[in-house]
Amino acid sequence: MDLAFSPAEEAFRAEARAWLQANVPNPPLPSGDTKDGFALHLEWERQLFDARYAVVSWPEEFGGRNASLWEWLIFEEEYWLAGAPQRVTQNGIFLLAPTIFEFGTAEQQQRILAKMASGEEPWCQGWSEPNAGSDLAGISSTATRDDTNGGWRLNGQKTWTTRGAFCTHLFGLFRTDPEAERHNGMTYLLVDLRQSGITVRGVERLDGDEGFAEVFFDDAFVPDVNVLGEVNKGWGVAMATTGSERGLTLRSPGRFLATATKLIELAKSLPDTATPELKDRVTQAWIDAHAYRWQTFATVTKLVEGGHTGPESSMVKVFWSELDVRLHEIALELLGPHAELIDGEFAHWMKGYQFALSGPIYAGTNEIQRNVIAERVLGLPRK
Amino acid sequence: MDLAFSPAEEAFRAEARAWLQANVPNPPLPSGDTKDGFALHLEWERQLFDARYAVVSWPEEFGGRNASLWEWLIFEEEYWLAGAPQRVTQNGIFLLAPTIFEFGTAEQQQRILAKMASGEEPWCQGWSEPNAGSDLAGISSTATRDDTNGGWRLNGQKTWTTRGAFCTHLFGLFRTDPEAERHNGMTYLLVDLRQSGITVRGVERLDGDEGFAEVFFDDAFVPDVNVLGEVNKGWGVAMATTGSERGLTLRSPGRFLATATKLIELAKSLPDTATPELKDRVTQAWIDAHAYRWQTFATVTKLVEGGHTGPESSMVKVFWSELDVRLHEIALELLGPHAELIDGEFAHWMKGYQFALSGPIYAGTNEIQRNVIAERVLGLPRK
Amino acid sequence: MRFAFTEDQIALHDAVRDLLNDHSNAAQLREAWGNETGRTASAWGALHAMGAIDAMRAEADGGLGFNEVDAILIAEASGRVALAEPIIETMMVAAPLNLVTIGLSAAVVTHESPFAPWADTAEVIIELAADGIRSRHRQDTTLTPRSSVDGARRLFAVSPNTEVAPASTEVALAFRRGALGTAAQLCGLSETMITVTVAYAKERKQFGVPIGSFQAVKHHLANARTKLEFARPLVYRAAASLRDRDAEAGVHVSMAKAAASDAAMVAAKASLQCHGAIGYTTEADLHLYMKRAWALGGSWGDAAWHRRQITNHLERAPIGER
Amino acid sequence: MRFAFTEDQIALHDAVRDLLNDHSNAAQLREAWGNETGRTASAWGALHAMGAIDAMRAEADGGLGFNEVDAILIAEASGRVALAEPIIETMMVAAPLNLVTIGLSAAVVTHESPFAPWADTAEVIIELAADGIRSRHRQDTTLTPRSSVDGARRLFAVSPNTEVAPASTEVALAFRRGALGTAAQLCGLSETMITVTVAYAKERKQFGVPIGSFQAVKHHLANARTKLEFARPLVYRAAASLRDRDAEAGVHVSMAKAAASDAAMVAAKASLQCHGAIGYTTEADLHLYMKRAWALGGSWGDAAWHRRQITNHLERAPIGER
């Protein structure tokens, strides 16, 4: 058990910290979930990419640094500590990219990855449908064979597509075998949204931003080169991605450590309202953020040494999502009657609270995750 | 809305308070869930009965005072505030007696009620069986017709029978129609335990007291006069009783008000450990105890005016049982390293905690109660 | 002891409820979010016409002479629809003290609620200060708009009032009425959030069954309903204590506001979680009620603030107080 | 960075686990509840024979020279079986400071744990006082027995020691080792409570299905398992910090003890509730583990006490500390 990072890792941390201090936008960018904010975020993503900080763990040929998992975690800690912007590319680089690395052809990797990471082609996730949320296997959007054009014709609807109104591409599951039941007969497709046959309608999120979209497919076309993995085997391909979503990559501990640190600062700045009972809860949240960090370090050690993560990732998802809500709840209690304000110096807490509330819902509700923990970690019976 | 009690009610309160101050055992009796303690409690119950305080709301002919529901609540508040003993007759007077008043013959009422209230014949409840806990309809103990002797022969086993090792009588459900399914074909029987054919084995409870019993029936006899309600209609009769158990009668608000008051005293007596965060939780529990009092007053007003209680009683059971646990948890946190002691001046808190922990389990687990709230109060679908 | 409302009180409540369903339904509330004032088109006028706004004014002053118990169900009904009107400020704070002209509205600031909702359309701005009540006409103040997460709730910071305060013993009573009315609104909001969520959970299917048949969904909503069940009696009791000028009325109001705030937070969280992603959009009505609940939970003293008042009281009070 | 145990450490843990399954199973623990000393018949001797008791003593002093990381899995294994022996007091507090003879046991009192478990069979009674460490032979003390809810855990109040304490910088280290070992035991206890409850929930049927198939039961246990998942890394990290004499080791130990205590309380409550009535009797094994968890949760500083130490630290610490 060695708690020290290597000199090389510490040097990487120092370098990243210096670059971030010099380059992180100040004042902070507006929300990336509005049209204008999204564009500004893409500029930032481009800046990151040019400095090879966009996707540090990727191979150099796709814009990365071949960084180790440890270096990636270090970068994430520094990124959030520096107050750097939310990554609007995250659904591409954290959810789709691992799947492309695992299932994609060399051609797909060459064509897609660097443009995804640079923000030239931002990707959104087409998972949910109006009647398939928690029950993802219930999707009904179809992809029908179009032999003439060598590809597939899409029909149906996706919904709750994060930043779908601003992205150029969508990845998702479509039914390619109408006879097959539930988990079978789906194919993982990569869809260019910039074509006729696709209509995107922005949906206003809780916080007023147009962060969601409904995507309607009306004979939209996907060429064969944009099938990811095998036809009709999309469920297995997608599960690899949802594993990523719940696992290491989407919510790095650095993010919650940064929020916990800001919460401590907030409590110190409000001595009149920071009662001992609220400070006790601040401390508890700070402990939890550190618990998440060290639990992640244990997981990374296992991965680095050739191990795998399994259904334990459901515990991770439950933990960070509910921690994020708690961190913001405590902040709002500290703010008392100022909590409801969405202007002024404290507005980011209410904004952050609303964002945090999505955590227990998306990427598999926490109710579903707790079922997974009970059934697959503890071995309780499904029925 | 009139928050004042009438002069007559206040006079009754003063009279009860004076009597209790003069008569409540001091030092407190040992636990009523041991053989010796039970006997001492029966002496106390006799003393209560002789002063006509055992069952104030009953008709005078059975030892009561014809007290109104308000007077009964007032008496309960005074009873607990005075630190008077747990009622070892409670399963009889609070659970069985309302059923006897509703379904019993005049002969049964004459024969049973006064002796129950005086403690001469203490009753225990024979509901649960080894394979029928939450699933009460799953009982399998049988009562077979014995025409020769004009009654029924019991076979099978009851379990988790509170104070079963010390009681003279048991009330419970037995299957009288082996062909009927689940909720049908059961009969509510009143069983004299003092006969061959019955074996009672005490089971040690969490706190070390022999408070539970297993009761084995081996051709035990129940005469026809001890059938309560109609043969094969026992489920409906029993449901009336479980309604009482979850409703007003088992856990009067006075009990939790008294505990909340003791908790405040405890916090005041421990200034070093009563941190602001613990005091905040003490206050919350005190608010909850008062919320229970006023919610009860609303229910009593409705009953007094001819209304009924329904599945709302499941909310009451969830609330008081979890409040009781919280009250004791806070006390144990105040006690810190002294909490684990079961000797000395604070021992009653750990004892009380262990008792409180049974609350969310018995009389229908709180999981079952929450199902009832969701389905019958809110109207959510069963399946 | 009779802990229930009279038939008259219930009939009046039902009339207010029906009126508000006509004048402040979800569609009308969405209009208020988008318009200039944040107020509904017709609810204030309708409530005024039936006498509700000025109900707590003495009959001699043109009111109905209502006490706090008479008024509390009106407050609760206004919460149930997230009424976008300064009804608590006017009906419960300004009108009974005759600080506002009949039919017009008031705005109120207190130390625990420093931003005055709908102040720009108010006749008077009332300040409940430690040393008394100050009241000014809106024209004599400078209002600085602030933005609330609740889009209908137009907030304003008010320029400081440097006048010497009129000596007044009514300030505690006025604050308690405001906190109590807000507690009642929070109960109404909790009820509505639970109702719309139950309706959604019965209709929405996943895995081939309504999501309301899953035990986790059931238990979220059962918890919320139970919290409400035990908050509401504290609100009604505090109303009666205020009416009776009980010496402990301040403590009773604090119990009510703490419990109602907590219940509303539980209802909001359970409702959002049971709605899932649809609740996370502004297309579902839930957010209209949830955001009002967030705002009111932190107004007129949040739950922790009120618990602290009670803790201070318990440290002084003789044991056995109830 | 490598946040994992070595193969040797894991092999040793497995050996200790197997030994304890032979010498401290539930039946043997029940015997300890009933016997004169509250200690098991053979576990101490077996642990001594394999060198575990004195593992943290320097090799020159007859130990194995173990550090806190080497020892922490032994502590956790001892918690998993609710070992009725003063192993934390001896292995982690007394032995590394050479305050007890090899193979014999120690008892410890601190301000936060004023009653010494198994003091009547200890060679020495150690007092961790604010001004230093005092140690006396048992014969030089007067022991007053106290009763713990955990029937195997024989507690004693110890007569005051009036000697001047030897100046010592080791007192903080000794206290931290004791608190850390207790935290590890609480993790072991949580694991066992979850394990026995999962086994029961798979077997026990109601309404025709195993109760473990009900979502409410699943979620109770999923919550407990998740709490444990995020407590354990804090314990291991604190062990490494102590080994490394990190300047923040005291804070890290407090994080570990707070998290492990909370996790064990959640596991105890979930386990009892999922057991239902059978868990409410002493016939089920659950109570053996649950009562130890209650006792240890409040020993060596309870969760709230440790959080207060951290709060005090955070008030002084520069922002950004991790």
Side-chain angles (χ1 to χ4, degrees):
Chain A
M1 200 163 275
D2 173 11
L3 304 195
F5 286 107
S6 70
E9 287 161 344
E10 291 292 359
F12 173 71
R13 184 191 287 277
E15 181 196 327
R17 181 176 294 189
W19 187 87
L20 287 162
Q21 278 179 348
N23 289 281
V24 164
N26 191 5
L29 300 183
S31 165
D33 297 336
T34 61
K35 193 171 168 57
D36 294 345
F38 189 80
L40 292 169
H41 274 70
L42 286 186
E43 288 178 24
W44 162 247
E45 299 270 359
R46 179 80 211 185
Q47 200 180 341
L48 270 179
F49 183 78
D50 290 343
R52 289 199 301 124
Y53 282 120
V55 283
V56 295
S57 62
W58 289 15
E60 295 193 16
E61 60 176 312
F62 303 125
R65 294 176 175 241
N66 264 321
S68 70
L69 271 177
W70 292 117
E71 287 169 329
W72 178 78
L73 271 179
I74 287 169
F75 179 75
E76 288 284 318
E77 290 191 353
E78 294 301 323
Y79 188 86
W80 294 108
L81 198 63
Q86 263 265 47
R87 300 293 298 272
V88 296
T89 55
Q90 69 178 16
N91 284 352
I93 61 177
F94 292 152
L95 302 184
L96 172 59
T99 317
I100 290 185
F101 280 118
E102 191 171 343
F103 295 92
T105 63
E107 185 276 329
Q108 286 173 330
Q109 294 180 358
Q110 290 295 339
R111 175 161 51 87
I112 295 169
L113 290 170
K115 286 183 180 173
M116 171 196 295
S118 69
E120 186 179 339
E121 292 181 350
W123 287 76
C124 62
Q125 174 181 266
W127 258 203
S128 298
E129 297 184 3
N131 292 310
S134 288
D135 183 13
L136 182 56
I139 66 161
S140 58
S141 290
T142 57
T144 315
R145 189 62 207 161
D146 176 351
D147 276 328
T148 315
N149 294 291
W152 301 81
R153 290 286 167 188
L154 308 186
N155 285 284
Q157 183 191 347
K158 297 290 179 181
T159 192
W160 301 315
T161 304
T162 300
R163 287 182 285 271
F166 318 127
C167 287
T168 58
H169 289 73
L170 173 145
F171 59 97
L173 287 179
F174 295 82
R175 292 215 166 267
T176 37
D177 179 356
E179 306 295 308
E181 289 209 349
R182 300 226 2 121
H183 297 79
N184 301 316
M186 286 182 258
T187 301
Y188 196 125
L189 297 177
L190 307 173
V191 187
D192 192 329
L193 293 173
R194 300 164 299 184
Q195 58 171 304
S196 65
I198 287 181
T199 310
V200 179
R201 184 178 83 84
V203 175
E204 193 176 87
R205 238 170 31 183
L206 201 56
D207 59 7
D209 290 350
E210 195 193 341
F212 283 159
E214 293 178 325
V215 184
F216 299 89
F217 304 92
D218 183 15
D219 267 344
F221 184 68
V222 175
D224 283 333
V225 293
N226 281 350
V227 173
L228 187 56
E230 283 181 60
V231 170
N232 289 339
K233 302 288 189 199
W235 183 260
V237 180
M239 285 304 100
T241 308
T242 58
S244 309
E245 185 171 15
R246 287 200 297 267
L248 273 184
T249 49
L250 189 59
R251 290 287 174 266
S252 79
R255 178 160 173 171
F256 306 101
L257 288 167
T259 308
T261 302
K262 279 192 210 120
L263 183 62
I264 293 169
E265 286 171 12
L266 181 70
K268 287 187 180 180
S269 75
L270 298 170
D272 288 349
T273 55
T275 58
E277 57 271 28
L278 272 174
K279 283 197 278 195
D280 186 56
R281 292 174 58 205
V282 170
T283 295
Q284 182 60 58
W286 183 85
I287 294 172
D288 289 340
H290 282 265
Y292 184 29
R293 184 180 197 233
W294 290 93
Q295 195 271 354
T296 301
F297 285 0
T299 303
V300 169
T301 301
K302 192 159 72 171
L303 292 174
V304 162
E305 298 184 353
H308 297 279
T309 57
E312 293 78 12
S313 61
S314 287
M315 293 192 278
V316 176
K317 198 266 167 162
V318 165
F319 192 81
W320 67 248
S321 61
E322 296 180 3
L323 168 59
D324 202 24
V325 173
R326 277 199 303 283
L327 285 161
H328 287 88
E329 278 174 345
I330 298 165
L332 295 181
E333 289 199 36
L334 281 164
L335 291 171
H338 294 258
E340 69 170 300
L341 297 178
I342 56 169
D343 59 13
E345 59 176 320
F346 302 124
H348 61 97
W349 287 108
M350 177 52 89
K351 180 96 179 170
Y353 177 56
Q354 293 179 78
F355 185 80
L357 285 173
S358 69
I361 294 171
Y362 76 100
T365 66
N366 285 9
E367 287 72 27
I368 300 283
Q369 305 293 351
R370 287 187 162 90
N371 290 353
V372 172
I373 297 165
E375 292 163 15
R376 296 181 54 206
V377 177
L378 295 175
L380 287 169
R382 281 182 66 88
K383 291 284 173 192
Chain B
M1 202 164 272
D2 173 10
L3 304 195
F5 287 107
S6 70
E9 286 160 345
E10 291 293 0
F12 173 71
R13 184 191 289 277
E15 182 196 326
R17 181 175 294 190
W19 187 88
L20 287 162
Q21 277 178 348
N23 290 282
V24 163
N26 191 5
L29 299 183
S31 166
D33 297 336
T34 61
K35 194 170 168 53
D36 294 346
F38 188 81
L40 292 170
H41 274 70
L42 285 187
E43 288 178 24
W44 163 248
E45 299 269 359
R46 180 79 211 186
Q47 200 180 340
L48 271 179
F49 184 78
D50 289 344
R52 289 198 300 124
Y53 283 120
V55 284
V56 294
S57 62
W58 290 14
E60 296 194 14
E61 60 176 310
F62 304 125
R65 295 174 174 242
N66 265 319
S68 70
L69 271 177
W70 292 118
E71 288 169 329
W72 177 79
L73 270 180
I74 288 169
F75 179 75
E76 289 284 316
E77 290 191 353
E78 294 300 323
Y79 188 86
W80 295 108
L81 199 63
Q86 263 266 48
R87 301 291 300 272
V88 297
T89 54
Q90 69 178 17
N91 285 353
I93 61 176
F94 292 152
L95 303 184
L96 173 58
T99 318
I100 291 184
F101 280 117
E102 191 171 344
F103 294 93
T105 63
E107 186 275 329
Q108 286 173 332
Q109 294 180 359
Q110 289 296 338
R111 174 160 52 87
I112 295 169
L113 289 170
K115 286 183 179 174
M116 170 196 297
S118 69
E120 186 180 339
E121 292 181 350
W123 287 77
C124 60
Q125 173 181 265
W127 259 202
S128 298
E129 297 184 2
N131 292 310
S134 289
D135 183 12
L136 182 55
I139 66 161
S140 59
S141 290
T142 58
T144 314
R145 190 62 206 160
D146 176 353
D147 276 328
T148 314
N149 294 291
W152 301 82
R153 290 286 166 187
L154 309 185
N155 285 284
Q157 181 191 348
K158 296 289 180 182
T159 191
W160 302 314
T161 304
T162 301
R163 288 183 282 272
F166 320 126
C167 287
T168 57
H169 289 73
L170 174 145
F171 59 98
L173 288 178
F174 295 82
R175 292 213 168 268
T176 36
D177 179 356
E179 306 294 307
E181 288 210 348
R182 304 238 345 133
H183 298 78
N184 300 317
M186 288 181 258
T187 301
Y188 195 125
L189 298 177
L190 307 172
V191 187
D192 192 329
L193 293 173
R194 299 163 299 184
Q195 58 171 305
S196 64
I198 287 181
T199 310
V200 178
R201 184 179 83 84
V203 175
E204 193 177 88
R205 237 172 31 184
L206 200 57
D207 59 6
D209 290 350
E210 196 193 338
F212 283 158
E214 293 178 324
V215 183
F216 299 89
F217 305 92
D218 183 15
D219 267 344
F221 183 69
V222 174
D224 284 332
V225 293
N226 281 349
V227 173
L228 187 56
E230 283 180 60
V231 170
N232 289 338
K233 302 287 188 199
W235 183 261
V237 180
M239 284 304 100
T241 308
T242 57
S244 309
E245 184 171 15
R246 288 199 297 268
L248 273 183
T249 49
L250 188 59
R251 290 285 173 269
S252 79
R255 178 162 173 168
F256 307 100
L257 288 167
T259 308
T261 302
K262 279 192 212 121
L263 184 62
I264 293 169
E265 285 171 12
L266 181 70
K268 287 187 180 180
S269 75
L270 298 170
D272 289 349
T273 54
T275 58
E277 58 269 29
L278 273 174
K279 282 197 279 194
D280 185 57
R281 292 174 57 205
V282 170
T283 296
Q284 183 59 57
W286 183 85
I287 295 172
D288 290 340
H290 283 265
Y292 184 31
R293 183 180 198 234
W294 290 93
Q295 195 270 355
T296 301
F297 285 1
T299 303
V300 169
T301 301
K302 191 160 70 171
L303 292 174
V304 162
E305 298 184 353
H308 296 278
T309 57
E312 293 78 13
S313 61
S314 287
M315 293 192 278
V316 176
K317 198 265 168 164
V318 165
F319 192 81
W320 67 248
S321 61
E322 296 179 4
L323 168 59
D324 202 23
V325 172
R326 278 199 303 283
L327 285 162
H328 288 88
E329 277 174 346
I330 298 165
L332 296 182
E333 289 198 37
L334 281 164
L335 291 171
H338 294 257
E340 68 171 301
L341 297 178
I342 56 169
D343 59 14
E345 59 176 321
F346 302 125
H348 61 97
W349 286 109
M350 178 53 89
K351 180 96 179 169
Y353 177 57
Q354 292 178 80
F355 185 80
L357 285 172
S358 69
I361 295 172
Y362 76 101
T365 66
N366 285 11
E367 287 73 27
I368 299 282
Q369 304 294 351
R370 287 186 162 91
N371 290 353
V372 171
I373 297 165
E375 292 162 15
R376 295 182 54 206
V377 177
L378 296 175
L380 288 168
R382 282 183 64 86
K383 291 284 175 193
Chain C
M1 175 71 67
R2 182 179 184 276
F3 191 57
F5 292 94
T6 63
E7 285 183 22
D8 283 354
Q9 286 162 340
I10 291 168
L12 181 82
H13 163 268
D14 293 349
V16 171
R17 181 196 59 203
D18 295 347
L19 179 152
L20 290 172
N21 286 341
D22 288 343
H23 294 274
S24 177
N25 57 34
Q28 290 159 327
L29 188 51
R30 286 176 185 276
E31 284 172 26
W33 274 58
N35 71 21
E36 199 182 344
T37 63
R39 296 177 61 174
T40 50
S42 57
W44 190 263
L47 286 165
H48 172 54
M50 86 182 296
I53 301 293
D54 290 283
M56 289 185 72
R57 218 183 278 265
E59 292 187 52
D61 297 326
L64 301 173
F66 273 24
N67 61 43
E68 289 81 355
V69 176
D70 299 321
I72 199 72
L73 290 182
I74 303 177
E76 187 172 342
S78 74
R80 206 178 289 121
V81 297
L83 180 66
E85 301 291 343
I87 188 166
I88 301 303
E89 292 82 351
T90 308
M91 176 180 76
M92 298 201 69
V93 179
L97 298 176
N98 257 325
L99 294 174
V100 62
T101 303
I102 284 189
L104 298 184
S105 74
V108 178
V109 293
T110 75
H111 180 261
E112 289 306 315
S113 288
F115 307 108
W118 298 291
D120 59 334
T121 51
E123 181 199 21
V124 292
I125 314 288
I126 295 168
E127 184 181 348
L128 304 183
D131 59 349
I133 298 176
R134 296 183 181 86
S135 177
R136 284 178 292 174
H137 275 79
R138 183 189 67 232
Q139 293 84 341
D140 302 330
T141 66
T142 305
L143 299 178
T144 309
R146 299 299 303 265
S147 301
S148 169
V149 66
D150 178 343
R153 200 171 130 87
R154 304 302 159 80
L155 296 182
F156 296 87
V158 181
S159 53
N161 189 340
T162 52
E163 289 168 35
V164 175
S168 170
T169 58
E170 302 275 10
V171 60
L173 178 63
F175 178 80
R176 287 166 190 171
R177 283 175 174 152
L180 177 70
T182 305
Q185 287 193 316
L186 284 160
C187 289
L189 285 160
S190 294
E191 184 184 323
T192 298
M193 289 189 280
I194 294 168
T195 302
V196 301
T197 307
V198 166
Y200 179 74
K202 287 160 86 165
E203 173 202 296
R204 169 78 177 167
K205 289 190 178 179
Q206 290 282 275
F207 305 102
V209 294
I211 61 168
S213 65
F214 292 111
Q215 206 177 20
V217 170
K218 286 182 182 176
H219 287 197
H220 281 319
L221 290 168
N223 288 340
R225 180 65 183 81
T226 303
K227 285 290 274 189
L228 174 60
E229 178 74 10
F230 289 88
R232 218 175 229 150
L234 291 176
V235 174
Y236 298 159
R237 182 261 204 132
S241 291
L242 269 187
R243 175 199 63 188
D244 300 345
R245 300 296 184 268
D246 188 305
E248 306 290 351
V251 176
H252 300 167
V253 169
S254 282
M255 293 163 81
K257 179 61 166 67
S261 297
D262 283 344
M265 295 308 108
V266 169
K269 214 163 166 176
S271 297
L272 180 61
Q273 188 66 23
C274 294
H275 266 77
I278 187 71
Y280 199 69
T281 71
T282 58
E283 300 197 349
D285 290 338
L286 174 64
H287 87 108
L288 301 168
Y289 308 106
M290 184 165 64
K291 288 170 179 171
R292 182 64 57 82
W294 293 343
L296 295 184
S299 299
W300 295 89
D302 63 13
W305 186 89
H306 282 286
R307 279 199 305 274
R308 274 201 301 287
Q309 313 313 306
I310 301 167
T311 302
N312 293 340
H313 166 78
L314 290 174
E315 301 219 323
R316 292 188 309 267
I319 287 298
E321 187 280 336
R322 61 174 52 131
Chain D
M1 174 71 68
R2 181 178 185 277
F3 191 56
F5 292 94
T6 64
E7 284 183 22
D8 284 353
Q9 286 163 341
I10 290 168
L12 180 82
H13 162 269
D14 293 349
V16 171
R17 181 197 58 203
D18 294 347
L19 179 153
L20 290 172
N21 286 341
D22 288 344
H23 294 274
S24 177
N25 58 34
Q28 290 159 328
L29 189 52
R30 285 175 186 276
E31 283 172 25
W33 274 59
N35 71 21
E36 201 183 341
T37 62
R39 296 176 61 175
T40 50
S42 57
W44 189 263
L47 286 165
H48 173 54
M50 86 182 296
I53 302 294
D54 289 284
M56 288 186 72
R57 213 183 281 265
E59 291 187 54
D61 296 326
L64 301 174
F66 272 24
N67 61 42
E68 288 82 354
V69 175
D70 299 322
I72 199 73
L73 290 182
I74 303 177
E76 186 173 343
S78 74
R80 208 177 287 122
V81 297
L83 180 67
E85 302 291 342
I87 187 167
I88 301 303
E89 293 83 349
T90 308
M91 176 180 77
M92 298 202 69
V93 180
L97 298 177
N98 257 327
L99 295 174
V100 63
T101 303
I102 284 188
L104 298 185
S105 74
V108 179
V109 292
T110 75
H111 181 260
E112 289 305 315
S113 288
F115 307 108
W118 298 291
D120 59 335
T121 50
E123 182 200 20
V124 292
I125 315 289
I126 295 167
E127 185 182 348
L128 303 182
D131 57 350
I133 299 174
R134 296 183 181 86
S135 177
R136 284 177 293 174
H137 275 79
R138 183 189 68 231
Q139 293 84 343
D140 303 330
T141 66
T142 305
L143 299 179
T144 310
R146 299 298 303 266
S147 302
S148 168
V149 67
D150 178 343
R153 199 170 132 86
R154 305 301 160 80
L155 296 181
F156 296 87
V158 181
S159 54
N161 189 339
T162 52
E163 287 169 35
V164 174
S168 168
T169 57
E170 303 275 10
V171 61
L173 178 63
F175 178 80
R176 288 166 189 170
R177 282 176 174 152
L180 177 70
T182 306
Q185 287 193 316
L186 284 160
C187 288
L189 285 160
S190 293
E191 185 185 323
T192 298
M193 289 189 279
I194 295 168
T195 302
V196 301
T197 308
V198 165
Y200 180 73
K202 287 160 86 165
E203 173 202 297
R204 169 78 176 167
K205 290 190 177 178
Q206 290 283 274
F207 305 101
V209 294
I211 61 168
S213 66
F214 291 112
Q215 205 176 21
V217 170
K218 286 183 183 179
H219 287 198
H220 281 318
L221 290 168
N223 288 341
R225 179 66 182 80
T226 302
K227 285 290 272 188
L228 175 59
E229 179 74 10
F230 288 88
R232 216 175 232 150
L234 291 177
V235 174
Y236 299 159
R237 182 261 204 133
S241 291
L242 270 188
R243 175 200 63 188
D244 301 344
R245 302 295 186 268
D246 188 303
E248 306 290 353
V251 176
H252 300 166
V253 168
S254 282
M255 293 163 81
K257 179 62 167 64
S261 297
D262 282 344
M265 295 308 106
V266 168
K269 213 163 167 176
S271 296
L272 180 62
Q273 188 65 22
C274 294
H275 267 76
I278 187 71
Y280 200 69
T281 71
T282 57
E283 300 197 349
D285 290 338
L286 174 64
H287 87 108
L288 301 169
Y289 308 107
M290 184 166 64
K291 288 171 179 171
R292 181 65 57 82
W294 293 343
L296 295 184
S299 299
W300 294 89
D302 62 13
W305 187 89
H306 282 285
R307 278 199 304 275
R308 274 201 301 288
Q309 312 313 306
I310 301 167
T311 302
N312 293 340
H313 166 79
L314 290 174
E315 301 219 325
R316 292 188 310 266
I319 286 299
E321 186 280 334
R322 62 173 51 132

